[in-house]
Amino acid sequence: MSLRLSYTLIAPFYDAFLEAATRGARRQSLGRLAEAAPLDALINGVGTGLDLPHLPPQHRYAGLDLTRAMLDKALPRAAGLDFRAVQGDAQRLPFADASFDAVVLHLILAVVPEPARCLQESARVLRRGGTMLVFDKFLKPGERAVWKRALNPLSRRLATRLDVVFEEVLAAVPALAVESNEPALAGGWFRLIRLKKG
Ligand SMILES: C[S@@+](CC[C@H](N)C(=O)[O-])C[C@H]1O[C@@H](n2cnc3c(N)ncnc32)[C@H](O)[C@@H]1O
């Protein structure tokens, strides 16, 4: 099954499982944008738009997702925001180089088949000095994670990878530097990471 099909099937139930559990982490991550002067921000893999209620109104937003059913759920949440929905692939972004001042990567890097490609593309469309806000589940370097790795061949086809090591993905994009990296949920399996493009 393709990820587009599985997320089309998941779309009606997604918020019931994820909204409450992730609200605090989203607020913390996106708080970074609150005081900033107006800028262009990409919400990469915007999904049903659970980030949108936490976005301040002064910026211009593009929300990209592979799955029409997820974007359709996101659009009502964009009321009051300068927001355009774009259907596309996070690994081949349909934007010019240096189009954005900020890129939000919440629960997308560990979902796509090629996380390094997704991070490279996100860095390509980010301006120098721009910020990337990551919230996702990552293994630590060298972590055995026997059950997660055993489930991964099925899980990666249905919804998400369970075997992504952030440090390995980051190594593919030398232009990005880590500003902060802290545990968020589930004993640090989920992390909040802030990156800057040099
Ligand atoms: C776990 S959801 C996360 C949604 C949202 N970012 C959030 O934090 O709730 C993963 C999203 O990635 C989208 N997706 C999967 N593969 C993608 C790809 N190659 N390009 C863009 N979006 C993709 C799915 O349609 C889904 O909306």
Side-chain angles (χ1 to χ4, degrees):
M1 178 154 55
S2 72
L3 282 179
R4 191 191 309 230
L5 175 57
S6 44
Y7 274 101
T8 300
L9 299 173
I10 288 168
F13 313 104
Y14 184 86
D15 294 355
F17 286 101
L18 269 292
E19 184 169 17
T22 58
R23 192 180 299 132
R26 292 178 196 279
R27 192 181 299 131
Q28 189 178 339
S29 175
L30 299 169
R32 196 75 199 168
L33 300 175
E35 302 300 326
L39 50 73
D40 295 296
L42 170 64
I43 318 299
N44 199 355
V46 65
T48 61
L50 291 181
D51 289 329
L52 303 189
H54 306 285
L55 295 176
Q58 70 268 33
H59 307 312
R60 294 169 296 277
Y61 298 101
L64 176 131
D65 204 280
L66 187 67
T67 311
R68 190 72 245 170
M70 297 292 273
L71 286 173
D72 287 345
K73 301 273 285 183
L75 278 169
R77 290 196 161 108
L81 295 175
D82 181 344
F83 178 88
R84 64 188 161 118
V86 180
Q87 190 169 11
D89 186 346
Q91 302 160 119
R92 287 164 199 77
L93 290 172
F95 305 111
D97 296 358
S99 300
F100 298 96
D101 307 288
V103 177
V104 175
L105 289 168
H106 285 181
L107 307 183
I108 181 69
L109 269 185
V111 166
V112 292
E114 296 180 72
R117 184 77 192 264
C118 178
L119 193 65
Q120 275 162 353
E121 276 291 274
S122 299
R124 178 183 67 74
V125 302
L126 188 63
R127 297 183 182 124
R128 283 187 71 168
T131 298
M132 218 179 272
L133 302 170
V134 179
F135 165 54
D136 220 320
K137 55 200 170 313
F138 298 111
L139 300 186
K140 298 176 182 64
E143 187 177 346
R144 289 183 64 222
V146 176
W147 279 107
K148 288 174 187 148
R149 291 185 192 279
L151 289 171
N152 186 59
L154 177 64
S155 168
R156 68 184 296 162
R157 283 179 179 76
L158 295 180
T160 186
R161 292 179 54 158
L162 300 172
D163 66 340
V164 178
V165 178
F166 178 73
E167 287 73 9
E168 292 174 3
V169 176
L170 183 65
V173 195
L176 296 175
V178 176
E179 284 199 329
S180 65
N181 180 352
E182 52 186 279
L185 300 173
W189 183 26
F190 287 77
R191 284 194 247 166
L192 285 170
I193 300 169
R194 198 173 69 245
L195 305 168
K196 199 168 197 78
K197 182 172 175 180

